[in-house]
Amino acid sequence: MQDARGDDEVEGNARIFVAGGSTLIGAALLRQLAAQSYTNVVGLPPGEPDLRRAAEVESFFSRFRPEYVLFAAGKSGGIEANRLFPADLIIDNLLSECHVIDAAHRHGVKKLLYVGSSCSYPKHCPQPMQVESLMSGPLEPTNDAYATAKIAGIKLCQAYARQHGDNFISGIPANAFGIDDDFSPAGGHVIPALIGKFHKARVEAQPAVSIWGTGTPRREFIFADDLADACLFVMREYNDTQTPINLGCGEDLSIRETAELIRDVVGFTGELVFDATRPDGMPLKSLDSTPLIRLGWRSRTPIVKALMETYEAYLFEARKLEQEGIHVRAAV
Ligand code: GDP
């Protein structure tokens, strides 16, 4: 990684804080940091401060003095979680990003990467989405509260950089999925939710699985471990604080295609039934990641391999819960 001037290679023992180390993306960042021999990671879960509390964040930064911050904190969820809990999502994200970004400034953090969300693009955005389109039109109503908080995080980084010269950059990831995902039907994004649904249907020999919406929306997905690699890459290679950078791999799938891949990975042989009474959300979310690709980054994990690893993680988690005596019906 580089320092604020973008000219010194950071030693593997620099103090690094992953804000949100238990989130899907945060946990993947911790794995990547370990894999790339960054050994001095501070505030590892469960020792992370409660980022919604200013005093806890302040005392954490005073005590551990992180030099580099990767921000992957804040509650997130799929289309149903956004419908049910918009207030939880907006307040959790706003508080966490305000506290961490302000503390990072006051404690002289050399560089910070804020991981945003592709929900921040307008609903009817030219595709593939370029960062110039941010704030150019109304948000998708199914996730506008969460998206507003994620836009505020980008604005915070830009403002602190302009006013104080902080090297705080923002990345906007494609729809991430992977090992530490939320597999619950109500909370999860489409991939983990469907892994859970297909698995249950296979074990219980159900004839069909309900897929929400029409199946026609398209999403660009990225495996969380690849995304984490992209995050560390931009920490080293990217220093434009006023221009967020898209973090994607350039391929999108329809929800129908996604469901068919997951069905095959899980080994379900029944039918897919599309429930058009459920919302579709954004018609298409695909990122223009040309700047990232020009810098030389490439994703490594083909989608089927990534889905298989995610399914294995689901099975592992389900077995663990069984052993702990928590009954997950048909989970193993
Ligand atoms: P989004 O990318 O913010 O819209 O969030 P999701 O990942 O939750 O949903 C993506 C698309 O998958 C939407 O069109 C959903 O209607 C569709 N979808 C189909 N089945 C499911 C499901 O079981 N769970 C979720 N979360 N989405 C589903």
Side-chain angles (χ1 to χ4, degrees):
M1 291 181 210
Q2 293 175 321
D3 75 0
R5 296 170 305 280
D7 54 9
D8 288 336
E9 194 66 21
V10 170
E11 309 285 327
N13 64 358
R15 284 184 305 281
I16 301 172
F17 173 46
V18 175
S22 304
T23 64
L24 166 69
I25 299 172
L29 280 165
L30 291 174
R31 283 192 294 277
Q32 272 302 316
L33 285 166
Q36 297 186 22
S37 303
Y38 290 101
T39 50
N40 196 357
V41 180
V42 295
L44 286 168
E48 190 178 28
D50 183 342
L51 302 178
R52 294 165 304 178
R53 300 189 189 285
E56 279 196 36
V57 175
E58 177 58 27
S59 87
F60 171 80
F61 272 77
S62 303
R63 181 158 174 223
F64 290 98
R65 293 172 295 111
E67 297 168 276
Y68 297 87
V69 173
L70 296 148
F71 185 97
K75 279 190 204 298
S76 66
I79 202 160
E80 182 69 356
N82 275 274
R83 186 180 73 79
L84 295 174
F85 309 116
D88 292 359
L89 289 168
I90 192 169
I91 195 68
D92 191 90
N93 279 279
L94 283 174
L95 290 173
S96 305
E97 68 207 23
C98 285
H99 295 152
V100 170
I101 290 169
D102 186 57
H105 160 65
R106 285 181 295 96
H107 290 271
V109 162
K110 294 177 181 172
K111 187 164 185 175
L112 175 147
L113 169 67
Y114 174 79
V115 180
S117 165
S118 60
C119 298
S120 299
Y121 282 104
K123 175 172 176 125
H124 296 295
C125 187
Q127 301 283 334
M129 302 186 288
Q130 300 185 325
V131 292
E132 291 71 26
S133 294
L134 286 165
M135 311 274 295
S136 66
L139 296 166
E140 156 61 39
T142 53
N143 56 33
D144 64 345
Y146 172 73
T148 301
K150 296 304 286 182
I151 291 172
I154 295 172
K155 292 286 169 196
L156 277 166
C157 290
Q158 291 171 335
Y160 274 74
R162 280 206 303 279
Q163 184 176 336
H164 301 297
D166 292 319
N167 192 6
F168 293 174
I169 60 168
S170 301
I172 302 184
N175 281 30
F177 69 98
I179 289 166
D180 290 281
D181 230 322
D182 174 355
F183 294 96
S184 66
H189 279 276
V190 59
I191 289 183
L194 288 186
I195 285 178
K197 280 189 188 176
F198 277 120
H199 178 79
K200 188 167 184 291
R202 176 170 69 77
V203 175
E204 294 180 355
Q206 293 171 9
V209 163
S210 165
I211 314 292
W212 296 350
T214 58
T216 55
R218 301 187 72 85
R219 296 287 180 270
E220 177 179 346
F221 296 107
I222 187 166
F223 189 43
D225 288 67
D226 285 352
L227 172 60
D229 181 54
C231 289
L232 299 190
F233 178 84
V234 295
M235 277 298 265
R236 290 187 292 263
E237 304 292 338
Y238 191 73
N239 287 296
D240 183 345
T241 57
Q242 299 307 304
T243 314
I245 184 164
N246 280 337
L247 306 173
C249 46
E251 281 175 36
D252 56 74
L253 292 171
S254 72
I255 296 303
R256 176 188 285 277
E257 289 164 338
T258 309
E260 287 170 352
L261 286 177
I262 298 169
R263 174 196 63 192
D264 295 346
V265 164
V266 173
F268 174 71
T269 50
E271 267 186 79
L272 311 187
V273 177
F274 291 88
D275 177 0
T277 64
R278 294 286 192 154
D280 269 340
M282 290 261 284
L284 169 58
K285 272 200 269 180
S286 165
L287 297 179
D288 180 352
S289 299
T290 310
L292 178 68
I293 288 160
R294 282 220 184 98
L295 284 172
W297 187 80
R298 298 288 178 278
S299 70
R300 281 185 238 166
T301 319
I303 181 86
V304 172
K305 181 165 189 292
L307 290 173
M308 287 166 70
E309 285 190 30
T310 306
Y311 182 41
E312 273 170 28
Y314 167 85
L315 290 175
F316 181 79
E317 195 53 36
R319 283 195 195 105
K320 213 169 72 187
L321 291 175
E322 280 292 304
Q323 279 160 12
E324 286 166 8
I326 301 165
H327 187 65
V328 183
R329 183 155 164 66
V332 285

